[in-house]
Amino acid sequence: MYEGFEIQEAIPEASSMIETFRAIGYNLETAVADIIDNSITACAKQIIIQRYWDGGNSIISIKDDGMGMTNEDLIHAMRPGAQNPLVERDEKDLGRFGLGLKTASFSQCRKLTVLSKKNGITSFWTWDLDFVAKCKKWNLIHWCPEAFKNSLDDVESGTIVIWSELDRIIPLNVDKMDQVAKERFSMALQKVREHIAMTFHRFIEDKQISIIWGSHSILPWNPFCPTESKRQPFPVEHLAGNVTLTGYVLPHKLNFSSEDAFRKAEGPKGWSGQQGFYVYRGKRLLLFGDWLGLFKKEECCKLARIAIDLPNSQDAEWQIDIKKSKAHPPIYCREQIEQYAKKVRASAEEVFRHRGKILKQRAGQQFHPLWLEKRKDSNWSYIINRDHPLVAYFKGLAETHPAEAIDQMLSLIESSVPTKTIFINEAKNEDKYETDKALDTTLIHKTIKSMYDSLINQGKNSLQAKALLKIIEPFNFYEDFIDLL
Ligand SMILES: Nc1ncnc2c1ncn2[C@@H]1O[C@H](COP(=O)(O)OP(=O)(O)O)[C@@H](O)[C@H]1O
Ligand SMILES: [Mg+2]
């Protein structure tokens, strides 16, 4: 090919390449998860995550008892782009681009050391980004932090990934006595722990792996609350390419088995944030609490969660990115996903809104709402239930104590405005909602006329009375009618 043409080597410049790697957009949670993926692919049974606080010299390490690597394997693994993404992967392989180990690590730290043990021999190599930038060459260093020299002695085979100079989490000049920085570090790690409990919950539930955090095993966090008897599962739906959808509506707060269970079910992003799709590739959760651009997150749909299960052969179709935290459903199945999700969302909204219904069933008696929702086409209005027992009560009271009756009635109305329902309807119909239509014109006209008569009786002349009426809400909308009086 290109015989007779001049050739010129143009090797990527080391320091700018590094910055590109660092900017791929991992966060600490997704970066750690990517390292754990490698351990799982290497058939690890146990993964141990350790954090060592030492100010700017703090370290995070992730160790596994997987198959490990030989020295040659390790050098290959440390090379950016170690594997071609187009090569077909084993069904259980969680990797893809041959970049995860490097990009995930560099996104968080300036120094990456990997020790790996295979056939009884431990090998180790370090990437130091400052060294690469300085010598302008991708040179690995045969160096390992002193404290980790023997870290694989207790396993037959395995690998430990060590991150030091964590400049994206702790500025490197921070002193170990800096309590604020320490607190920040521990809060960042708390999020990592929650993320791991969620991302790998299927592996932990199946006892395929255990993940040790310091000295405790991380318990799985299943977004679909399998032990809650009052959740509503939806029938599984099959999409092209062996992809399945399984929707769940979680129980209303009042119907959770306990308050504690309700709180635990909330998840890292909070109730509203966790609604939406949960995309799994095999057992691995890629993306969570996201409507994939098909819907907006809404308070009323916060109990809806839908699992999408993909085989890893669907990576390209679903545009799984390097960080494994984004996915886009292919156009040909969007419609089907949308229709399915609509049903789950409608059901979730029903559960969220009709807390009242539950009260009614519980009491076994007729329930008396104070406000009624009147719906005409896409317009809602809210009226006071004239048959409410309190309305009759106030009418009675008005006969002897009119001022008190009006006062009490107004207080009751103020304290019971159905803000939640209004909020939901308003949010769903931002453009269509019109309050004006809710007003009954005949009744308003009657009231204006009777107030006008009363003002005249009080000695106002017609002009004065009309001027007064025009500055009273909602009469101000009826100037034409007032002028005709
Ligand atoms: N913990 C580990 N145990 C054994 N091999 C590993 C481990 N981590 C990485 N490797 C090897 O390094 C290679 C490169 O890893 P990585 O950069 O994450 O890319 P990918 O996972 O996409 O292959 C892996 O394919 C694997 O062969
Ligand atoms: Mg990987």
Side-chain angles (χ1 to χ4, degrees):
M1 251 212 300
Y2 297 116
E3 274 149 47
F5 288 91
E6 189 189 344
I7 301 286
Q8 166 65 52
E9 203 176 35
I11 300 172
E13 209 264 311
S15 54
S16 70
M17 220 36 211
I18 289 173
E19 293 314 315
T20 312
F21 277 156
R22 300 204 82 189
I24 278 182
Y26 281 95
N27 54 36
L28 184 58
E29 298 94 274
T30 50
V32 172
D34 222 331
I35 301 300
I36 295 177
D37 281 343
N38 287 340
S39 300
I40 295 176
T41 305
C43 304
K45 288 259 158 269
Q46 194 181 64
I47 297 161
I48 305 174
I49 301 169
Q50 298 283 11
R51 305 89 61 207
Y52 308 87
W53 169 252
D54 187 12
N57 298 317
S58 296
I59 288 177
I60 295 174
S61 71
I62 299 142
K63 170 176 158 179
D64 69 54
D65 58 357
M67 61 178 74
M69 290 173 271
T70 63
N71 187 48
E72 205 178 304
D73 294 340
L74 177 57
I75 293 172
H76 185 70
M78 293 295 264
R79 268 179 62 174
Q83 272 223 38
N84 184 337
L86 301 178
V87 170
E88 200 163 307
R89 296 262 183 152
D90 187 85
E91 175 69 29
K92 293 206 177 62
D93 193 340
L94 299 175
R96 175 99 233 157
F97 296 91
L99 281 170
L101 172 64
K102 288 72 66 173
T103 47
S105 302
F106 295 156
S107 74
Q108 304 303 316
C109 68
R110 301 196 68 82
K111 208 186 265 187
L112 159 69
T113 305
V114 182
L115 276 84
S116 200
K117 183 171 172 183
K118 189 167 191 161
N119 307 328
I121 300 167
T122 301
S123 320
F124 58 90
W125 287 99
T126 289
W127 276 123
D128 181 325
L129 296 186
D130 293 322
F131 185 69
V132 173
K134 204 172 127 219
C135 58
K136 296 191 174 15
K137 276 202 166 144
W138 291 96
N139 286 334
L140 285 164
I141 312 161
H142 195 245
W143 176 88
C144 155
E146 203 52 43
F148 288 87
K149 282 248 155 78
N150 303 317
S151 53
L152 293 176
D153 284 3
D154 61 340
V155 290
E156 185 108 341
S157 65
T159 302
I160 181 165
V161 172
I162 303 157
W163 292 348
S164 23
E165 299 184 12
L166 298 153
D167 65 336
R168 291 284 156 90
I169 316 164
I170 316 156
L172 298 183
N173 56 2
V174 161
D175 186 81
K176 71 189 276 189
M177 299 310 283
D178 186 334
Q179 290 305 313
V180 177
K182 187 176 177 183
E183 181 68 14
R184 215 174 285 141
F185 184 57
S186 105
M187 267 159 52
L189 288 163
Q190 183 51 37
K191 276 171 80 179
V192 174
R193 185 187 173 142
E194 286 174 7
H195 188 79
I196 291 172
M198 174 173 68
T199 304
F200 299 101
H201 77 90
R202 288 183 174 176
F203 294 97
I204 308 174
E205 283 161 356
D206 292 354
K207 309 226 180 314
Q208 182 181 331
I209 56 166
S210 61
I211 304 180
I212 316 284
W213 183 265
S215 51
H216 298 283
S217 287
I218 294 184
L219 296 174
W221 184 84
N222 186 320
F224 309 109
C225 307
T227 56
E228 289 301 320
S229 60
K230 296 216 170 125
R231 72 167 184 176
Q232 291 175 34
F234 275 69
V236 178
E237 184 147 324
H238 295 269
L239 304 180
N242 249 338
V243 176
T244 60
L245 299 175
T246 320
Y248 298 91
V249 174
L250 303 187
H252 189 275
K253 186 177 178 179
L254 300 170
N255 283 329
F256 255 87
S257 53
S258 69
E259 254 182 62
D260 193 43
F262 174 73
R263 230 176 327 185
K264 283 204 181 118
E266 180 171 15
K269 283 204 273 190
W271 270 109
S272 207
Q274 294 281 153
Q275 64 182 282
F277 295 108
Y278 287 71
V279 181
Y280 291 83
R281 181 168 61 161
K283 292 185 190 176
R284 170 31 156 127
L285 178 64
L286 299 179
L287 189 124
F288 67 101
D290 190 321
W291 286 116
L292 299 172
L294 295 174
F295 309 95
K296 277 191 289 188
K297 282 191 181 170
E298 287 173 278
E299 185 65 11
C300 57
C301 295
K302 65 183 182 186
L303 300 172
R305 296 180 182 176
I306 303 173
I308 302 184
D309 279 286
L310 312 177
N312 71 357
S313 54
Q314 287 289 307
D315 278 4
E317 301 274 348
W318 281 69
Q319 300 176 43
I320 305 300
D321 74 336
I322 298 183
K323 309 186 300 286
K324 295 173 233 157
S325 61
K326 284 217 171 67
H328 299 278
I331 303 223
Y332 56 79
C333 60
R334 282 181 91 89
E335 173 72 21
Q336 201 183 346
I337 297 173
E338 192 173 344
Q339 290 311 323
Y340 186 85
K342 267 190 186 157
K343 283 184 265 174
V344 180
R345 281 168 57 99
S347 209
E349 191 178 325
E350 193 72 9
V351 172
F352 173 72
R353 280 158 78 109
H354 291 295
R355 231 179 8 172
K357 267 194 186 157
I358 296 156
L359 293 176
K360 175 168 133 191
Q361 286 158 7
R362 281 208 185 135
Q365 289 162 343
Q366 202 199 337
F367 179 70
H368 299 282
L370 183 60
W371 291 86
L372 297 176
E373 188 181 303
K374 246 175 64 179
R375 188 171 172 176
K376 200 176 161 211
D377 304 327
S378 57
N379 295 307
W380 273 268
S381 58
Y382 302 91
I383 56 169
I384 301 275
N385 176 9
R386 299 296 196 281
D387 297 329
H388 195 279
L390 277 171
V391 173
Y393 162 76
F394 289 133
K395 276 186 183 157
L397 186 64
E399 282 173 19
T400 47
H401 301 83
E404 209 174 298
I406 291 175
D407 218 37
Q408 279 189 28
M409 193 175 73
L410 292 177
S411 303
L412 179 77
I413 293 172
E414 280 168 358
S415 64
S416 66
V417 178
T419 43
K420 198 183 237 178
T421 316
I422 294 175
F423 170 71
I424 293 169
N425 290 341
E426 182 103 40
K428 282 169 56 180
N429 290 278
E430 268 163 20
D431 309 324
K432 298 182 219 150
Y433 189 82
E434 289 172 47
T435 32
D436 290 358
K437 286 208 178 139
L439 297 172
D440 178 343
T441 327
T442 334
L443 183 71
I444 299 240
H445 286 176
K446 212 169 117 189
T447 317
I448 293 177
K449 180 76 175 66
S450 97
M451 261 198 91
Y452 176 80
D453 291 344
S454 148
L455 288 166
I456 298 290
N457 279 342
Q458 285 167 29
K460 300 268 188 298
N461 66 33
S462 176
L463 269 179
Q464 288 170 325
K466 286 177 181 177
L468 270 172
L469 288 170
K470 285 180 189 175
I471 54 167
I472 295 175
E473 195 182 358
F475 303 157
N476 54 323
F477 296 117
Y478 298 84
E479 287 204 6
D480 292 346
F481 178 78
I482 294 171
D483 285 335
L484 288 176
L485 285 169

